Amino acid sequence: MMDIAVFISGSGTNLQTLIDKLHKDRDVDIDIKVVFSDNKDAYGLERAKKAGIPAISIKLKDSPDREAFDEKILDLMEQYEIELVVLAGYMKVLTPKFVQKYRNKILNIHPALLPSFPGSHGVKPALEYGVKVSGVTIHFVDEGVDTGPIVAQAAVPVLDDDDEKTLHARIQIEEHRLYPEVVKMYSEGKLKVVGRKVIINR
Ligand code: GRF
């Protein structure tokens, strides 16, 4: 059984698909041990509770600095013996110490085709740039922002009459398909990081 944590800051639709498709499923050896949020009002916390998963929130403002905040989260990870951290709409950048401790054991999902449009918003900048294709990227987290080794990507068309909402909705369909697949492959030991590249042994 692989014990994982999911980090969220908002709605948690990706968390929901991970719960629905992977959590304690008979065919998949994955246990979502804890859902963590930096935002106590994140709806994803409700989704976790409904699934019987411990849902914990800690405010950044209750810590003197970012390092102390991440220390608290690291303690939580140790407490639950977490083997993989899955970021699903988590809006804080992890400290280098956290990243080093969980090297190649943290996944993130970004709503654009990296390395284009990194940062806290991927959908709007892509739309404003005028690209004809965008999509989703799932990558391992390194010390940078959205710069780690890419595991998987899926493209979607950008339509002339798209706004941020319609394009994001099209991207999310791919997110909900791809993230559970990637987490499952990780849990089966099928992902190998070689330098900047991720080799998938299907
Ligand atoms: C997703 O679009 C993800 O790519 C981005 O944040 C969004 C989270 O959505 N990092 P949700 O909370 O899972 O619905």
Side-chain angles (χ1 to χ4, degrees), residues 10-15 88-90 108-111 136 168 172 175-176:
S11 156
T13 63
N14 279 285
L15 165 67
Y90 183 63
N108 183 43
I109 188 162
H110 183 73
V136 52
H168 196 193
Q172 285 222 293
E175 292 190 342
H176 298 159

Side-chain angles (χ1 to χ4, degrees), residues 4-190:
I4 75 172
V6 181
F7 287 21
I8 55 155
S9 296
S11 156
T13 63
N14 279 285
L15 165 67
Q16 190 66 57
T17 61
L18 293 169
I19 292 172
D20 294 344
K21 294 187 182 174
L22 302 181
H23 183 52
K24 291 185 173 170
D25 184 295
R26 271 173 271 118
D27 303 330
V28 192
D29 252 0
I30 291 175
D31 187 358
I32 304 175
K33 293 288 283 283
V34 63
V35 170
F36 170 75
S37 180
D38 58 316
N39 167 19
K40 70 170 172 36
D41 299 321
Y43 181 65
L45 291 171
E46 300 305 317
R47 298 180 191 272
K49 282 180 210 157
K50 271 185 207 147
I53 300 166
I56 294 173
S57 68
I58 304 175
K59 245 203 282 176
L60 174 60
K61 281 188 182 149
D62 291 341
S63 300
D65 54 31
R66 261 312 227 282
E67 283 67 31
F69 177 63
D70 270 21
E71 279 299 336
K72 287 184 192 169
I73 311 172
L74 275 171
D75 285 348
L76 199 65
M77 297 302 99
E78 264 178 34
Q79 188 190 322
Y80 283 98
E81 299 179 336
I82 296 304
E83 296 163 90
L84 172 71
V85 174
V86 177
L87 308 183
Y90 183 63
M91 297 302 278
K92 296 269 188 299
V93 176
L94 297 169
T95 54
K97 186 175 174 193
F98 196 116
V99 172
Q100 278 150 26
K101 199 135 191 213
Y102 280 84
R103 173 78 62 204
N104 298 334
K105 292 176 181 170
I106 310 168
L107 289 168
N108 183 43
I109 188 162
H110 183 73
L113 293 175
L114 293 171
S116 292
F117 313 112
S120 50
H121 301 283
V123 182
K124 202 163 169 231
L127 203 54
E128 284 172 357
Y129 194 93
V131 294
K132 301 293 187 194
V133 174
S134 193
V136 52
T137 304
I138 295 165
H139 63 95
F140 283 109
V141 173
D142 66 7
E143 285 83 349
V145 175
D146 300 328
T147 52
I150 291 174
V151 183
Q153 294 183 301
V156 305
V158 180
L159 306 182
D160 290 342
D161 58 357
D162 265 339
D163 57 24
E164 195 181 347
K165 219 174 140 192
T166 56
L167 178 55
H168 196 193
R170 195 172 308 118
I171 291 169
Q172 285 222 293
I173 292 170
E174 293 302 311
E175 292 190 342
H176 298 159
R177 180 182 64 78
L178 205 55
Y179 219 1
E181 268 181 33
V182 167
V183 173
K184 181 170 182 278
M185 285 193 292
Y186 181 96
S187 76
E188 293 167 344
K190 291 181 174 167

